[in-house]
Amino acid sequence: MENKYRIIDTHAHYDDEAYDEDRAEVLKQIKEAGVEQLMNIACSKKSIETTNNLTLEYDFIYGALGIHPSDADDYNEEVRADIISKVKSNKKILAIGEIGLDYYWDENPDREVQKFVFREQMRLAEELNLPVVIHDRDAHADTLEIMKSFPNVKGVVHCFSGSVEFARECVKIGYYIGITGVVTFKNARKICEVVEAIPLERLLVETDCPYMAPTPYRGKRNKSDYIEHIIEQISQIKGIDPKEVNMAVNSNFSNLIRNTK
């Protein structure tokens, strides 16, 4: 069934093993349901390759290439050169990501290693004139400090989990705030406050699929057409028509990538 919205999913992981058994079917279904464009986000050495391949195979899939903080130990000159090569040969690579800091998991690489790799990939984004997709988990202060140290780099703070004050700081330096299905959860007071406080012109919608499925699909495998529930929740919080939200967030994504490459 066709979706009532024109959906752009700004953060997805369709190369994830959760789709190994039916990837082609899922991608066919979401396109038929109104998903016009999605950005598949790499997070590991392996997914730099698989993300790039998806962009070449599907006309509506674009990509971001980078190393997630959980895999920061894998970032080296070889990976950097591979990203540069793919960006230069594939015009569908729109951003550097998923990069950033994750202090939640004890088994993650040392924090100093994460910060070094984050800075290196911010430097790479600046060199390539591409926006960044930032992962920030329990690392708000260090994330903001590094973002501020690269004033020429813009992007989105993906799956935003910080306070209204932190969101305002991010917006002040030119970043967008990524809103996932978490905004539909009953206990999601903090992100709802962020959506209420931040101008619609600085919000993006994303699934982070296969994770973060919105209510009423919470706990199930996520997919891009479920963004309709995020759009409708934002419209309720802001008291505006969902079609207005839909048009605005799509325009925001276009603005983010317009002046790159």
Side-chain angles (χ1 to χ4, degrees), residues 18-257:
Y19 300 103
D20 281 354
E21 291 186 7
D22 60 351
R23 183 173 292 106
E25 291 86 346
V26 171
L27 292 172
K28 180 175 183 288
Q29 180 268 314
I30 64 169
K31 189 173 183 183
E32 290 173 350
V35 177
E36 297 186 354
Q37 187 175 337
L38 67 87
M39 189 158 68
N40 205 79
I41 314 292
C43 51
S44 65
K45 206 170 165 182
K46 179 184 176 184
S47 69
I48 288 172
E49 192 67 34
T50 51
T51 291
N52 191 64
N53 289 343
L54 279 175
T55 71
L56 298 174
E57 188 175 351
Y58 291 90
D59 61 351
F60 72 114
I61 299 183
Y62 295 78
L65 304 182
I67 296 290
H68 189 283
S70 297
D71 282 41
D73 287 333
D74 290 340
Y75 187 80
N76 54 33
E77 280 302 314
E78 181 186 347
V79 170
R80 181 180 184 277
D82 186 36
I83 292 172
I84 292 171
S85 171
K86 286 178 168 57
V87 166
K88 291 186 173 178
S89 64
N90 183 359
K91 295 199 178 298
K92 293 180 75 184
I93 303 302
L94 304 179
I96 299 299
E98 178 173 351
I99 66 175
L101 303 173
D102 192 318
Y103 295 170
Y104 180 80
W105 300 106
D106 291 336
E107 62 268 29
N108 272 351
D110 180 82
R111 292 184 180 187
E112 291 306 313
V113 172
Q114 289 190 45
K115 287 192 279 188
F116 174 78
V117 170
F118 184 15
R119 288 191 184 97
E120 286 295 299
Q121 293 186 96
M122 290 288 281
R123 198 168 285 117
L124 177 60
E126 185 172 40
E127 178 186 322
L128 295 171
N129 190 32
L130 289 177
V132 291
V133 179
I134 291 180
H135 174 103
D136 160 47
R137 191 169 188 190
D138 291 357
H140 306 324
D142 286 350
T143 298
L144 185 60
E145 181 186 349
I146 292 173
M147 286 162 61
K148 284 182 172 179
S149 66
F150 291 89
N152 295 326
V153 179
K154 307 303 177 195
V156 54
V157 183
H158 142 71
C159 191
F160 192 85
S161 60
S163 64
V164 169
E165 291 72 27
F166 178 51
R168 286 182 173 138
E169 286 295 310
C170 294
V171 167
K172 195 186 297 182
I173 60 172
Y175 279 75
Y176 290 86
I177 305 299
I179 308 299
T180 66
V182 172
V183 76
T184 67
F185 297 172
K186 282 185 179 176
N187 59 349
R189 181 181 55 82
K190 192 159 68 166
I191 191 61
C192 290
E193 289 173 353
V194 168
V195 168
E196 186 175 15
I198 298 302
L200 183 59
E201 292 71 29
R202 303 310 297 180
L203 300 181
L204 293 176
V205 292
E206 53 179 62
T207 57
D208 199 23
C209 63
Y211 316 106
M212 303 287 185
T215 304
Y217 303 103
R218 187 174 182 179
K220 298 181 180 179
R221 186 179 68 172
N222 203 358
K223 54 194 181 77
S224 299
D225 49 329
Y226 293 170
I227 274 181
E228 68 172 309
H229 301 285
I230 302 172
I231 289 170
E232 288 169 357
Q233 182 66 12
I234 292 172
S235 80
Q236 283 187 31
I237 294 168
K238 289 197 167 290
I240 56 179
D241 187 89
K243 291 285 179 72
E244 184 182 343
V245 174
N246 184 201
M247 288 187 294
V249 294
N250 287 357
S251 176
N252 295 345
F253 182 65
S254 296
N255 289 337
L256 174 64
I257 64 173

Side-chain angles (χ1 to χ4, degrees), residues 4-23:
K4 53 193 165 186
Y5 303 113
R6 298 180 61 183
I7 289 175
I8 296 177
D9 185 355
T10 64
H11 194 116
H13 300 282
Y14 282 106
D15 58 324
D16 190 276
E17 62 184 12
Y19 300 103
D20 281 354
E21 291 186 7
D22 60 351
R23 183 173 292 106

